[in-house]
Amino acid sequence: MEKDLEFIELFELYKDLLTEKQRELFSSHYLFDLSLAEIAEEEGGTRQSVYDAVKKVKKKLLEYENALKIKEKKDKIFALLSDINDEKIATALREILEI
């Protein structure tokens, strides 16, 4: 479950680097909670082909994170923010991060 959440977070960060088909398959399985068999039926493929495609997307997401480290940096920033006691400063910093 925790691993799934990690991949969902990576997907949110790097989805624009994936093909449209990769985004659709990953979204169907992880965001819309469709089974591999359900996706295969929709796509006119096999469960195994969907499994392989989703596995490839997960590998790509990890490769992007290993190269760019956006999630790692984001996690470090939010850890630092959680230590800030002045809510006004913390809110301002969160807004800056959203830009």
Side-chain angles (χ1 to χ4, degrees), residues 55-70:
K55 185 176 175 181
K56 183 178 177 179
V57 171
K58 290 166 59 174
K59 182 181 176 192
K60 278 286 194 200
L61 293 171
L62 290 173
E63 287 173 2
Y64 293 143
E65 177 58 18
N66 286 334
L68 302 171
K69 307 233 183 277
I70 294 173

